[in-house]
Amino acid sequence: MATLVGKKFPNLSVDAMNEMGDTFKVNVLEEAVNNKKKVVLFWYPKDFTFVCPTELHAFQAALPEFEKRNTIVIGASCDTPEVHFAWLNQSKDNGGIEGVTYPLLADSNRNLSSILGILDITNETYDEATGTVQVEGDNVTYRATYIIDEEGTVVHEGVNHMPIGRNVNEYLRLIDAYTHVQEKGEVCPANWEEGKTAMQPNAKATAEYLAAN
């Protein structure tokens, strides 16, 4: 599937669960636009697995930093809301995600993940005998991450394979960089971090930056 960067995030409501045990609908596009906030949406393959809880706790630990940046964090997988709630009730020292407070999408019908093209499907075949499409692969999501701006436009997307956990600080850096672009009209060079020099988007400024760095 083609990249979503530069396009509006899909306008779709999905079931979600929170630590209180409430099931509700979340529309990621509306969360960004209606709240005038950025959104980090991160997908992980399965509840009750191995790399996944480390990522959910890492995003939770960084939640105050995201909030400082006017950014909402939303987790997502293809598990049901009930499975999310069971995992939310399992303690951290027992592999659970107790203490996670941001909402978790439960895309159990795979409507949104199918639109995004992030499902682990290596092949699809049509079985004439049963009239069904059969898939190879677990049909769960890769570790896909989206940053959506206040207008609902996707400004970053990235996908890791199942065994590779994310660096949460990189998403804070990307948000800082995009916010700098929005506010200053400058562009951010390689390895830019908050407080470092950015550039005007022209050849002269690039040459001056390269000469100084």
Side-chain angles (χ1 to χ4, degrees):
M1 180 179 168
T3 180
L4 278 178
V5 171
K7 303 180 181 75
K8 296 291 185 191
F9 193 81
N11 184 9
L12 190 71
S13 294
V14 181
D15 282 341
M17 172 62 69
N18 63 18
E19 85 277 15
M20 305 301 293
D22 302 318
T23 303
F24 50 98
K25 294 284 188 184
V26 170
N27 182 312
V28 175
L29 177 67
E30 291 179 355
E31 288 293 311
V33 174
N34 293 350
N35 292 299
K36 294 183 170 48
K37 295 188 177 193
K38 293 181 177 70
V39 174
V40 171
L41 171 66
F42 74 97
W43 294 80
Y44 61 92
K46 298 177 185 176
D47 292 0
F48 293 99
T49 53
F50 321 114
V51 175
C52 298
T54 69
E55 293 193 311
L56 273 81
H57 286 297
F59 275 102
Q60 179 66 35
L63 202 58
E65 291 300 319
F66 285 108
E67 289 171 348
K68 266 193 238 174
R69 292 162 171 81
N70 199 40
T71 300
I72 298 166
V73 173
I74 301 173
S77 79
C78 296
D79 295 279
T80 65
E82 293 79 12
V83 174
H84 281 339
F85 191 53
W87 204 26
L88 282 160
N89 277 292
Q90 183 168 306
S91 66
K92 182 179 179 182
D93 60 10
N94 196 29
I97 58 166
E98 186 177 33
V100 166
T101 60
Y102 49 81
L104 301 177
L105 299 190
D107 189 36
S108 54
N109 58 17
R110 290 162 170 74
N111 285 345
L112 182 53
S113 48
S114 294
I115 293 169
L116 297 174
I118 56 173
L119 288 164
D120 170 26
I121 300 172
T122 54
N123 193 34
E124 293 180 85
T125 53
Y126 180 72
D127 184 342
E128 290 189 10
T130 60
T132 59
V133 174
Q134 299 181 6
V135 303
E136 294 173 28
D138 287 342
N139 203 19
V140 297
T141 65
Y142 293 109
R143 298 186 193 283
T145 317
Y146 299 85
I147 299 176
I148 299 118
D149 73 8
E150 300 86 346
E151 306 297 319
T153 301
V154 177
V155 298
H156 167 85
E157 68 177 354
V159 185
N160 289 8
H161 206 345
M162 312 296 188
I164 306 168
R166 280 162 280 216
N167 180 344
V168 172
N169 286 331
E170 172 63 3
Y171 302 105
L172 293 170
R173 188 193 74 84
L174 287 167
I175 290 165
D176 285 343
Y178 189 64
T179 302
H180 186 91
V181 171
Q182 288 174 308
E183 294 177 353
K184 308 290 188 188
E186 295 181 317
V187 293
C188 297
N191 300 323
W192 183 91
E193 294 174 344
E194 185 65 53
K196 288 188 175 180
T197 302
M199 308 184 301
Q200 290 296 323
N202 60 60
K204 181 173 180 288
T206 301
E208 289 172 353
Y209 178 86
L210 290 171
N213 292 275

